[in-house]
Amino acid sequence: MELTNELVLEAISREFPEAVISSSEPYGMLTIELKKEEIKKIIHYLKESSYEFGFLTDICGIHFPDNKEKELGVIYHLHSLVNNFRLRLKTFMPKEKASVDSITDLFSGANWMERETFDFYGIDFKGHPDLRVILNMEELGYHPMLKEYPLEDGGRTDKNDTMFGR
């Protein structure tokens, strides 16, 4: 049986009827927004089911500072190598409650990906065995991928921005 976007979305909707918030297919890739309370259960289901999503390609964070209810997000990319099918799962949360269940017990490779997401976005992964910064210095004191900081020093005088329309 060949996996299709419709088949995978229908299976998730059937097994977790309250979890799916929305879905889309940018560039043909099924992308599902899910409730954060259900994300680990759904990833576990996808891994153990006959769909065999056994490869966690990536975990990353995203920051939308203008949307307070969905300010921070975690994006998971799963791949079923057997079925040659890729899937993107997203979950969003307010910045004040930025935490989601760790999936390190499902995928060992999630360990460093979750640490990187914590390091750059400040998202807490509940149950992670060693959640600490991985790429930045511990004394940095902030999460550099949050869109809360100016892109460059406004006081610089060594640059001529007129060539860039500024």
Side-chain angles (χ1 to χ4, degrees):
M1 173 177 55
E2 182 178 339
L3 284 187
T4 63
N5 290 346
E6 295 77 23
L7 182 68
V8 173
L9 180 60
E10 181 185 309
I12 292 172
S13 298
R14 182 183 60 246
E15 295 294 323
F16 305 93
E18 304 295 323
V20 176
I21 296 172
S22 66
S23 66
S24 61
E25 297 180 19
Y27 302 102
M29 183 177 192
L30 179 61
T31 302
I32 306 172
E33 181 182 344
L34 300 163
K35 291 182 178 177
K36 75 173 189 173
E37 298 80 14
E38 303 289 330
I39 193 86
K40 184 175 182 176
K41 291 181 222 169
I42 292 169
I43 291 172
H44 183 260
Y45 166 75
L46 290 169
K47 182 181 180 189
E48 299 300 325
S49 71
S50 61
Y51 304 122
E52 299 183 61
F53 283 93
F55 183 61
L56 176 67
T57 309
D58 191 24
I59 299 175
C60 61
I62 193 164
H63 183 209
F64 293 115
D66 297 333
N67 188 346
K68 295 301 176 194
E69 290 300 313
K70 296 181 176 182
E71 188 169 356
L72 288 173
V74 180
I75 301 169
Y76 301 85
H77 287 166
L78 298 172
H79 191 173
S80 173
L81 296 169
V82 173
N83 296 297
N84 192 25
F85 190 90
R86 293 177 182 267
L87 172 65
R88 180 183 300 125
L89 304 175
K90 297 179 176 181
T91 189
F92 293 95
M93 61 210 82
K95 186 178 173 195
E96 296 75 33
K97 298 177 183 174
S99 69
V100 66
D101 290 330
S102 172
I103 61 167
T104 53
D105 56 334
L106 301 176
F107 293 97
S108 301
N111 190 324
W112 284 20
M113 296 180 207
E114 290 178 352
R115 284 181 60 190
E116 182 181 7
T117 304
F118 166 75
D119 192 2
F120 283 100
Y121 293 93
I123 298 170
D124 180 33
F125 288 87
K126 294 183 289 186
H128 190 283
D130 186 23
L131 193 61
R132 58 186 164 95
V133 297
I134 189 169
L135 295 172
N136 292 302
M137 299 176 299
E138 287 188 31
E139 57 272 6
L140 186 62
Y142 63 94
H143 305 287
M145 291 301 284
L146 294 177
K147 298 175 184 172
E148 298 175 335
Y149 314 103
L151 293 177
E152 57 187 327
D153 182 6
R156 286 183 65 175
T157 58
D158 62 328
K159 291 178 61 181
N160 181 356
D161 287 341
T162 56
M163 297 295 288
F164 302 102
R166 296 184 232 167

